[in-house]
Amino acid sequence: MTMKRFATATVLAIALTACSSGPSQNKAEDAMLAYVKDNGSEDARLMEFELGKCTKVDSGYNCPVRSRVLAMGGKFDQQFNGVFTFADVGGSYKVIARVSMD
């Protein structure tokens, strides 16, 4: 009986951890690219994208992001660092707020 409870608790802990970790690197990068394009140039690209450890908040996940943004045919090349709120919208993540910029 004790082993059964331990196994159940372990599975539950793994499931809760998976649910509370926020977006994956790829999903966050896709969401950030859409955000940059919506707020700038349609030809924008992200280079060297890094996603930090996300923190659960009421509206989604606050995640630190570091990236370079290339746009306007290469005329715009800037470092893009900050903390953004990612929310799961219909099975994919979307940037819904900028918490801070570095």
Side-chain angles (χ1 to χ4, degrees):
M1 187 71 160
T2 309
M3 188 59 128
K4 194 176 202 180
R5 281 187 181 168
F6 176 75
T8 302
T10 301
V11 169
L12 184 58
I14 291 170
L16 289 175
T17 301
C19 292
S20 64
S21 63
S24 68
Q25 174 88 9
N26 288 340
K27 288 184 178 186
E29 187 170 0
D30 290 345
M32 185 56 66
L33 181 58
Y35 176 79
V36 169
K37 286 183 174 185
D38 288 345
N39 292 286
S41 181
E42 189 58 36
D43 73 337
R45 292 183 298 144
L46 300 179
M47 308 297 289
E48 303 162 8
F49 184 84
E50 296 177 23
L51 179 68
K53 183 173 172 43
C54 299
T55 305
K56 179 80 171 119
V57 294
D58 289 340
S59 56
Y61 297 91
N62 285 347
C63 305
V65 170
R66 296 181 57 82
S67 185
R68 254 182 57 226
V69 177
L70 298 174
M72 300 180 338
K75 294 177 185 170
F76 182 86
D77 182 355
Q78 294 290 316
Q79 193 66 30
F80 189 72
N81 304 327
V83 177
F84 296 86
T85 303
F86 292 81
D88 187 345
V89 179
S92 62
Y93 280 90
K94 180 176 181 163
V95 175
I96 59 169
R98 182 181 73 202
V99 178
S100 67
M101 292 293 287
D102 292 346

